[in-house]
Amino acid sequence: MRTRTLGSTGPAVSALGLGAMGMSDAYGPTDRAESIATVHAALEAGVTLIDTGDFYAMGHNELLLAEALRGRDRDSYQLSVKFGALRGPGHIFSGTDGRPEAVKNFLAYSLTRLGTDHIDIYRPARLDPAVPIEETVGAIKEMVDAGYVRHIGLSEVDAATVRRAHAVHPIADLQIEYSLISRAVEAEVLPTLRELGIGLTAYGVLGRGLISGHWSAGRNGAPGDSRGFGPRFSPGNVEHNLGLVEALRRVAGSKGCTVAQLVIAWVAAQGEDIVPLAGARTRERLAEALPAMRLNLTPDDLAEIEKAVPQGAARGDRYPAAFMSGLGVGN
């Protein structure tokens, strides 16, 4: 596994990261043993960056990772943790808390659940509209100075917010959705990151499975699978979007790879400062994702991919309407 450095001040991490959310939350029933085996397989393959959130199934994901990572050399992997999302009974989202006192409270709980003395990259999951980003980042900076956090990251904010945060303390990376069907980051945010020397960790590179090559129209989501509420998966939109996947399948066939490998490789090819996160829940899906980092896309390949899925080609927003207002950029 090759490595990439997150910005000018961030850590060197594996060129492909592991997104752990789906092992606990959002996509339906999970298998604890298989999840732990998938984390182990990722580490054995050279994946070092593992991304989670303290609100993923109300701390379940952090406890799961603590179990999977027990006994491992702490310097052999990096933990990226998001905080601030508020959820009530029934796991219903109810806002964001970025107050300085809340930052330290969230961090204390994460350190305990993860069984570690530090977080490698700590980031607010969303911008709290009631709290200036300078105050939130300032509180994390105090935790950096105290040794509990190594680097500060951001998630789903706009270019102006990135600049304000970076003025308080160097930002290692911005985590934001970036895929062939979610490219709003390219207009202003990505150029700003590059100007300031900030990396990008890309989640949703498979469009939550929509452009993985494994989704089908009419597929019924399992209980607890939030994709059933996703506009891009809704009737009318999903058929159009899967038509884009079929165009990608032809390109993938010419490269001798799967659709999932092609779209992960496309994200990785957008710059050495970008680290895709593979949200694999099983060893099978992880095994499919890993070879993407060895796939060499030529300029002709990239042109064919662009032709198959032009920017803005997908139908539907990337989140339900209630969540779109909390995003720094649109689709």
Side-chain angles (χ1 to χ4, degrees):
M1 175 66 67
R2 293 172 295 161
T3 62
R4 292 183 170 184
T5 301
L6 292 178
S8 58
T9 64
V13 301
S14 53
L16 180 71
L18 177 66
M21 180 187 72
M23 297 178 181
S24 300
D25 207 358
Y27 296 155
T30 60
D31 183 315
R32 188 178 191 87
E34 180 61 26
S35 295
I36 291 172
T38 301
V39 174
H40 291 169
L43 293 169
E44 289 158 12
V47 173
T48 65
L49 179 64
I50 303 174
D51 181 76
T52 184
D54 64 9
F55 52 93
Y56 290 168
M58 320 309 292
H60 176 278
N61 201 239
E62 291 181 320
L63 293 169
L64 177 73
L65 290 177
E67 183 176 349
L69 297 169
R70 190 170 296 130
R72 301 273 175 168
D73 179 356
R74 183 61 184 86
D75 293 329
S76 68
Y77 59 88
Q78 300 93 18
L79 288 170
S80 164
V81 180
K82 293 183 289 297
F83 70 89
L86 303 177
R87 303 179 78 174
H91 296 189
I92 303 301
F93 284 95
S94 58
T96 300
D97 193 346
R99 295 172 301 140
E101 57 269 36
V103 170
K104 297 169 186 178
N105 179 77
F106 289 134
L107 176 60
Y109 277 91
S110 284
L111 291 170
T112 300
R113 283 190 292 259
L114 287 164
T116 185
D117 62 359
H118 71 276
I119 303 298
D120 297 282
I121 311 169
Y122 200 51
R123 69 183 83 242
R126 295 290 186 272
L127 181 67
D128 183 344
V131 180
I133 190 63
E134 290 86 352
E135 293 184 14
T136 303
V137 171
I140 308 175
K141 179 183 183 300
E142 291 181 29
M143 297 297 93
V144 172
D145 294 340
Y148 296 115
V149 173
R150 295 282 171 84
H151 303 278
I152 301 178
L154 297 171
S155 177
E156 286 289 356
V157 295
D158 61 16
T161 302
V162 171
R163 290 186 185 279
R164 290 169 55 194
H166 192 65
V168 176
H169 186 278
I171 301 300
D173 72 313
L174 170 68
Q175 186 176 122
I176 199 162
E177 186 167 355
Y178 188 28
S179 73
L180 269 169
I181 59 172
S182 295
R183 295 174 60 178
V185 67
E186 294 176 347
E188 186 177 3
V189 172
L190 188 53
T192 299
L193 298 180
R194 287 173 171 163
E195 174 193 339
L196 299 175
I198 299 172
L200 186 151
T201 45
Y203 77 88
V205 294
L206 296 176
R208 298 173 181 80
L210 180 60
I211 57 172
S212 67
H214 302 296
W215 198 266
S216 58
R219 173 177 167 178
N220 293 320
D225 190 336
S226 63
R227 289 173 291 193
F229 303 100
R232 289 178 173 169
F233 292 85
S234 66
N237 288 344
V238 69
E239 292 83 1
H240 168 83
N241 294 331
L242 289 176
L244 302 176
V245 175
E246 290 311 305
L248 287 173
R249 200 182 302 278
R250 291 189 287 274
V251 180
S254 70
K255 293 292 292 183
C257 66
T258 68
V259 174
Q261 290 163 355
L262 186 73
V263 297
I264 294 171
W266 180 89
V267 173
Q270 302 313 300
E272 288 292 320
D273 51 354
I274 298 172
V275 175
L277 298 173
R281 298 198 294 166
T282 65
R283 286 169 288 180
E284 180 184 7
R285 289 290 177 256
L286 175 68
E288 180 180 19
L290 288 169
M293 305 315 293
R294 300 193 297 270
L295 189 60
N296 178 39
L297 297 180
T298 68
D300 286 344
D301 294 331
L302 293 171
E304 283 298 309
I305 294 170
E306 182 74 24
K307 182 179 178 181
V309 185
Q311 186 169 2
R315 287 185 184 169
D317 288 336
R318 56 190 178 103
Y319 280 98
F323 292 92
M324 290 297 292
S325 62
L327 304 178
V329 297
N331 290 322

